[in-house]
Amino acid sequence: MVSSPHEAMHRIFQEFPGLFSRVSEVLGVDIPPPTSATPLPTDLTEARPVERRVDTLLRIETAHDGPFLLAIEAQGKKDPRKTVSWPYYVSYLHNRYELPILLLVVCQDHATAEWAARPISIGLRQWQTFALYPLVAGPHNMPVITDVAEARKDLALTTLAAITHADNPDVGAILKTLSAALRDTPEAIADPIIELTAQGLGNRPAAQQWRNLVAVDLSFYKSFMSEEIRDEGRAKGRAESLLLVLEARGIAITDGIREKIDTCDDPQLLHQWLNRAATATTTEEVFAGE
């Protein structure tokens, strides 16, 4: 399973294009709600051998104000190169599509969000030829949603909020709210949310909390992604149980054995080892034939 916060922070807009309407409300920007959204090619490379690629690009249609382009960048850290590439994206897209353009940057930490929100100016001190004002969504302005009823009203916004608050000390409560809100949700909607949340949390400790919640609270889902996350949760739990049983029985655990157990992602094999550990006196008996 792909585990990339970068992917989740922009892919969620591909899965739920209408999400930007609610995000713009949260950010205090009056943008008309979309009537439709069309994904566009993200490759902005010209004929010359320089590749430039925006993360997600959507053509948003509105009822009264006409269409516009929404370019979405997921930013995990400060990157000085973006002061060059972002203005290029905007000018290239404006020239290609001849439509108004918004640049939305999604971040997971305050420092990166503050950096990304700074205007980018091109020109002289006396006169600016070009100025870019990115719209930024991050932990500084996305809501902390811990009410299940509120979460159910807008699952996409709740998912993005959970991703942007991945480092929040209260992220466990946020994830618990999201998992509870998904219990009565059709699988076709819940499965991409489960996947995007797992991606968005990356390798943070909260990722394991989410896997545990999916394994328990959403055990009725049978999709591939849900099953994969549940298997990871089961494997983690059985690995911890196996180590506890070995320690309780006084069986020495070498660094190699601990690594063998911790890196095993097969719940059935771990279950087999756990059964043997109940009566074994040595690790050799536990891993016999392996």
Side-chain angles (χ1 to χ4, degrees):
M1 178 179 63
V2 176
S3 180
S4 169
H6 178 276
E7 290 296 307
M9 286 192 286
H10 69 88
R11 269 194 55 221
I12 189 170
F13 290 91
Q14 297 176 21
E15 294 284 348
F16 306 97
L19 170 62
F20 178 67
S21 176
R22 280 92 75 191
V23 171
S24 65
E25 291 178 11
V26 172
L27 302 183
V29 181
D30 185 16
I31 296 174
T35 55
S36 66
T38 305
L40 298 175
T42 60
D43 191 348
L44 311 184
T45 306
E46 295 184 272
R48 55 182 177 169
V50 177
E51 181 176 323
R52 296 182 176 93
R53 191 179 300 273
V54 67
D55 288 333
T56 285
L57 181 62
L58 300 174
R59 176 187 170 115
I60 305 292
E61 303 286 344
T62 65
H64 305 293
D65 290 3
F68 68 92
L69 298 183
L70 175 62
I72 304 164
E73 283 280 280
Q75 197 64 35
K77 62 182 179 180
K78 300 177 185 179
D79 185 352
R81 293 173 298 178
K82 295 299 185 180
T83 59
V84 175
S85 58
W86 286 346
Y88 170 83
Y89 295 168
V90 171
S91 59
Y92 174 88
L93 291 169
H94 183 266
N95 181 66
R96 178 175 178 180
Y97 292 98
E98 297 183 350
L99 289 173
I101 301 165
L102 274 176
L103 172 65
L104 174 66
V105 184
V106 184
C107 307
Q108 289 179 296
D109 68 272
H110 291 271
T112 302
E114 182 180 359
W115 164 82
R118 295 173 183 171
I120 300 173
S121 298
I122 299 175
L124 302 177
R125 176 177 56 83
Q126 297 87 344
W127 189 268
Q128 296 301 313
T129 303
F130 180 98
L132 173 63
Y133 298 87
L135 193 60
V136 179
H140 65 298
N141 56 14
M142 293 301 291
V144 175
I145 301 175
T146 55
D147 180 79
V148 176
E150 182 182 356
R152 285 197 178 112
K153 291 178 183 177
D154 198 330
L155 290 169
L157 180 63
T158 302
T159 303
L160 181 64
I163 291 170
T164 56
H165 287 288
D167 292 318
N168 189 312
D170 296 325
V171 69
I174 299 171
L175 296 175
K176 181 65 177 177
T177 300
L178 178 57
S179 69
L182 289 174
R183 287 174 187 165
D184 300 322
T185 303
E187 187 171 344
I189 297 174
D191 191 48
I193 287 178
I194 293 171
E195 176 189 358
L196 287 164
T197 304
Q199 285 184 322
L201 297 174
N203 296 321
R204 294 171 172 83
Q208 187 56 48
Q209 296 181 51
W210 180 242
R211 286 171 171 78
N212 292 341
L213 287 168
V214 171
V216 176
D217 291 352
L218 305 177
S219 58
F220 46 85
Y221 285 125
K222 301 300 181 185
S223 67
F224 173 79
M225 180 57 62
S226 302
E227 287 295 323
E228 184 175 359
I229 292 175
R230 275 197 292 277
D231 282 346
E232 291 180 6
R234 293 190 192 104
K236 180 69 173 179
R238 287 175 183 174
E240 293 174 351
S241 297
L242 177 55
L243 289 170
L244 287 173
V245 169
L246 292 175
E247 291 173 356
R249 292 181 55 78
I251 299 175
I253 305 173
T254 65
D255 290 341
I257 292 297
R258 186 177 296 275
E259 182 179 2
K260 182 183 181 73
I261 295 172
D262 286 338
T263 57
C264 180
D265 58 3
D266 184 343
Q268 295 302 320
L269 182 57
L270 285 163
H271 183 69
Q272 181 178 327
W273 291 346
L274 187 57
N275 283 339
R276 292 177 184 171
T279 56
T281 57
T282 65
T283 53
E284 287 75 12
E285 295 178 35
V286 175
F287 302 108
E290 303 298 336

